[in-house]
Amino acid sequence: MASLIPIPPIPISHHHLLTRRSLLLSTTASPLSSSLTTTTTTTTQPIDTTITDRVFLDFSLCPTYFRTTNTNSDPPCTASTPLGRIVIGLYGRLVPLTVANFKSLCKPTTSTMQANYKNTLVHKILPGQFFMAGKQGKREKGEVQLPLDFIPKNTETVESKAFMLKHGRAGVVSLCLSENDDEEEVKLDPEYRNVEFLITTGPGPCPQLDSRNIVFGTVLEGLDVVTAIAAIPTYIPGERIRQFNDLAEFVGDERAKNARSLWNRPLKSLYISDCGELKVTKPSLSPPSLP
């Protein structure tokens, strides 16, 4: 009887299985890797913060709060102390209308233009955040004189690109929109132009201002002056006064808003003693530390 010769089992190689699995994985992963590559290579257009114009603001301090019938040519305080000069670079390519209006109010008055920032008050200082100037109203109160129909209406207040820059450091110059202190009757005027501005004082950022106010410039010189302004004492109400004010506002008492307008006001008169435009021969890129 012939003996059966055992046939050795044929080894099953997993090579082909792995190859097919690898092929399957590679085909399914290809669209993902392609999309990742596309995502990483796609870049947004940089914000144009070229400094096209420069202006200066000189600040002075009165020993007391003034309320005089001053004019553009007369200083509101005869015994003032100069604090120094701030030089501001303006982003004329990013927000040309906002920059043009601000420049107009930094220039000396003429027969056709009776309003500018000279001899107007810094009316609010929020410690560690920013200070505000350029409130409109009566000249004898240290406010920007009305009307302002000689400057165009600012249509950039509804453009998304005007709100792209952040208030991330000291020296950011911004048009007040959410923080605007102009009286309601002033805002209701058909010829109303918003020219109130703020400058951040640091040391930290002010994220509550982002996407709500138009950043149009940066302080190039005079950050020490900004720091000195931030250190000026202001009126800060106590907790009990704040509670009474909240209650008055809740019941609709209009005096609550008038009382709040005095909060954070400097205890000494801080005002813009002079202002003007500095010639720029060639536009320059703003510092790399911009927000």
Side-chain angles (χ1 to χ4, degrees):
M1 183 174 176
S3 60
L4 295 176
I5 302 174
I7 301 175
I10 301 174
I12 299 176
S13 174
H14 295 280
H15 176 70
H16 298 290
L17 294 176
L18 292 175
T19 303
R20 290 176 182 176
R21 186 179 303 168
S22 302
L23 179 61
L24 180 61
L25 290 175
S26 64
T27 54
T28 56
S30 295
L32 178 61
S33 60
S34 174
S35 62
L36 289 175
T37 305
T38 306
T39 304
T40 54
T41 55
T42 303
T43 56
T44 57
Q45 197 71 14
I47 303 173
D48 191 349
T49 54
T50 302
I51 294 174
T52 57
D53 308 271
R54 299 188 185 202
V55 297
F56 71 88
L57 300 175
D58 291 341
F59 292 87
S60 295
L61 191 65
C62 276
T64 58
Y65 196 81
F66 72 90
R67 285 188 181 275
T68 61
T69 56
N70 60 292
T71 63
N72 264 0
S73 57
D74 300 326
C77 180
T78 56
S80 61
T81 302
L83 280 184
R85 171 171 292 189
I86 293 176
V87 176
I88 300 173
L90 304 176
Y91 307 143
R93 294 182 183 174
L94 180 65
V95 281
L97 263 178
T98 305
V99 166
N101 289 352
F102 185 76
K103 278 199 315 177
S104 296
L105 290 178
C106 288
K107 295 178 180 179
T109 57
T110 63
S111 57
T112 57
M113 185 184 74
Q114 298 297 324
N116 67 0
Y117 290 127
K118 184 177 179 179
N119 291 337
T120 60
L121 288 169
V122 173
H123 61 274
K124 188 171 287 188
I125 302 174
L126 279 77
Q129 299 182 58
F130 56 89
F131 68 85
M132 299 168 60
K135 182 179 180 180
Q136 298 179 50
K138 298 180 179 180
R139 196 67 182 182
E140 60 268 19
K141 290 185 177 181
E143 298 168 341
V144 176
Q145 180 178 322
L146 300 172
L148 297 176
D149 52 1
F150 62 89
I151 60 176
K153 287 189 175 181
N154 193 345
T155 57
E156 291 168 348
T157 57
V158 294
E159 295 180 7
S160 59
K161 74 167 188 175
F163 298 89
M164 297 175 68
L165 291 177
K166 307 298 182 182
H167 302 76
R169 58 178 180 81
V172 175
V173 186
S174 178
L175 182 69
C176 293
L177 297 177
S178 66
E179 308 300 319
N180 188 281
D181 277 342
D182 290 334
E183 302 294 339
E184 290 301 325
E185 57 267 24
V186 174
K187 294 180 182 179
L188 292 175
D189 190 320
E191 298 301 325
Y192 174 70
R193 310 287 194 270
N194 186 6
V195 297
E196 189 176 339
F197 67 95
L198 64 85
I199 299 179
T200 57
T201 59
C206 296
Q208 75 276 16
L209 302 177
D210 295 343
S211 304
R212 304 176 67 194
N213 303 274
I214 298 177
V215 175
F216 63 90
T218 180
V219 173
L220 301 176
E221 301 174 22
L223 276 176
D224 57 328
V225 180
V226 173
T227 303
I229 291 174
I232 294 174
T234 60
Y235 170 66
I236 301 177
E239 184 61 29
R240 191 172 182 84
I241 294 178
R242 290 178 179 271
Q243 291 175 356
F244 275 123
N245 188 273
D246 292 341
L247 178 60
E249 183 181 19
F250 178 77
V251 299
D253 193 334
E254 294 183 356
R255 292 175 295 180
K257 183 177 180 180
N258 295 332
R260 283 200 308 274
S261 66
L262 300 175
W263 297 2
N264 300 111
R265 178 171 291 189
L267 297 180
K268 296 181 179 180
S269 292
L270 173 64
Y271 69 101
I272 300 172
S273 52
D274 199 6
C275 54
E277 183 179 5
L278 300 172
K279 295 300 180 182
V280 176
T281 56
K282 183 180 180 181
S284 61
L285 294 177
S286 50
S289 59
L290 283 175

